[in-house]
Amino acid sequence: MKKPILVVMAAGMGSRYGGLKQIDPVGKNGEIIMDFSVFDAVQAGFSKVIFIIKEQLFEDFKEVIGDRVSKYVQVEYVFQKLDDLPEGFTVPEGREKPWGTGHAVLAARDHIDAPFVVINADDFYGGEAFKKIGAFLRNVKEDGEKAHWAMVGYHLKNTLTENGHVARGVCVEKDGVLDTIVERTHIEKREDGPAYTEDDGATWHALDE
């Protein structure tokens, strides 16, 4: 079996940062979050990185990020285009932003030839996450009868901040398998544990940590 591939969704980076030149470093040597993800993936045995970006950002992305990463791992680029849709679908009038995860993976379909994992460009995952998902992908049996999917989850309490609220997909498992995912868009770290509100703080609902 081929070594796993890292697919990085970065098509929205330009709009979030006001351009790629302004990406904020988080490491003591000027590293950005994506540097840590790629490093951890390479350490975990991933063989290739596919960056999904906007075509108009290609030159800047290659200069600021891609050329540095390509010194350590194979790099490929995919352009996420709004009109690259399955037959029967059209772009709604006024739509400008890239579609979500499913469309990003669709854009990379011609570059993916091995088990793969999809991450956001500006989220930190940690080395242990890449080790676990890498081990899963290397042990997938190619039986052709069912899809083999997995997700690395985190304890909610470890993803909260003292600096305001966050949005999270709250996962519940049953018998060792993911049962439900519910998006909570306003979760805060409170004295009695994490809680979410859906009415601007009028009422709060506790969440398991």
Side-chain angles (χ1 to χ4, degrees):
M1 178 181 291
K2 295 183 178 180
K3 292 183 178 180
I5 296 169
L6 178 65
V7 179
V8 182
M9 297 188 296
M13 289 188 68
S15 58
R16 285 197 295 273
Y17 284 93
L20 293 176
K21 305 288 187 180
Q22 291 79 25
I23 293 178
D24 294 327
V26 296
K28 62 181 181 181
N29 296 309
E31 300 93 345
I32 62 175
I33 289 178
M34 209 181 319
D35 291 326
F36 292 100
S37 293
V38 172
F39 176 85
D40 289 337
V42 171
Q43 291 295 302
F46 285 70
S47 63
K48 180 170 70 174
V49 178
I50 299 173
F51 290 115
I52 302 174
I53 62 176
K54 288 182 179 178
E55 187 171 9
Q56 58 266 40
L57 296 179
F58 172 68
E59 294 298 334
D60 283 345
F61 193 98
K62 186 174 182 295
E63 175 188 346
V64 176
I65 298 169
D67 287 346
R68 183 174 67 255
V69 171
S70 64
K71 297 176 183 177
Y72 307 100
V73 66
Q74 179 184 349
V75 170
E76 295 182 7
Y77 300 94
V78 169
F79 301 139
Q80 186 174 5
K81 301 179 180 180
L82 287 181
D83 58 356
D84 181 17
L85 296 170
E87 185 176 353
F89 290 85
T90 58
V91 180
E93 184 177 354
R95 177 80 188 196
E96 296 181 357
K97 293 184 178 180
W99 304 99
T101 303
H103 184 253
V105 175
L106 179 69
R109 60 192 178 277
D110 294 331
H111 294 253
I112 297 173
D113 58 357
F116 65 98
V117 63
V118 181
I119 68 169
N120 291 317
D122 47 7
D123 285 335
F124 179 78
Y125 296 90
E128 190 64 21
F130 289 98
K131 290 178 183 177
K132 289 184 175 181
I133 197 64
F136 172 84
L137 293 175
R138 283 191 293 272
N139 287 285
V140 169
K141 295 181 179 179
E142 298 181 358
D143 54 25
E145 295 182 0
K146 64 178 182 179
H148 296 274
W149 300 331
M151 179 182 68
V152 176
Y154 299 81
H155 290 291
L156 180 63
K157 64 181 180 181
N158 295 332
T159 71
L160 304 181
T161 175
E162 305 283 355
N163 302 309
H165 67 271
V166 298
R168 296 286 183 261
V170 180
C171 304
V172 177
E173 65 172 316
K174 183 178 181 180
D175 299 326
V177 177
L178 179 64
D179 185 54
T180 60
I181 302 177
V182 179
E183 183 179 21
R184 302 299 183 192
T185 58
H186 190 127
I187 303 175
E188 290 189 11
K189 188 175 185 179
R190 298 167 66 84
E191 290 185 2
D192 53 353
Y196 72 93
T197 180
E198 295 180 331
D199 52 15
D200 294 325
T203 56
W204 290 90
H205 308 275
L207 288 166
D208 292 335
E209 295 186 333

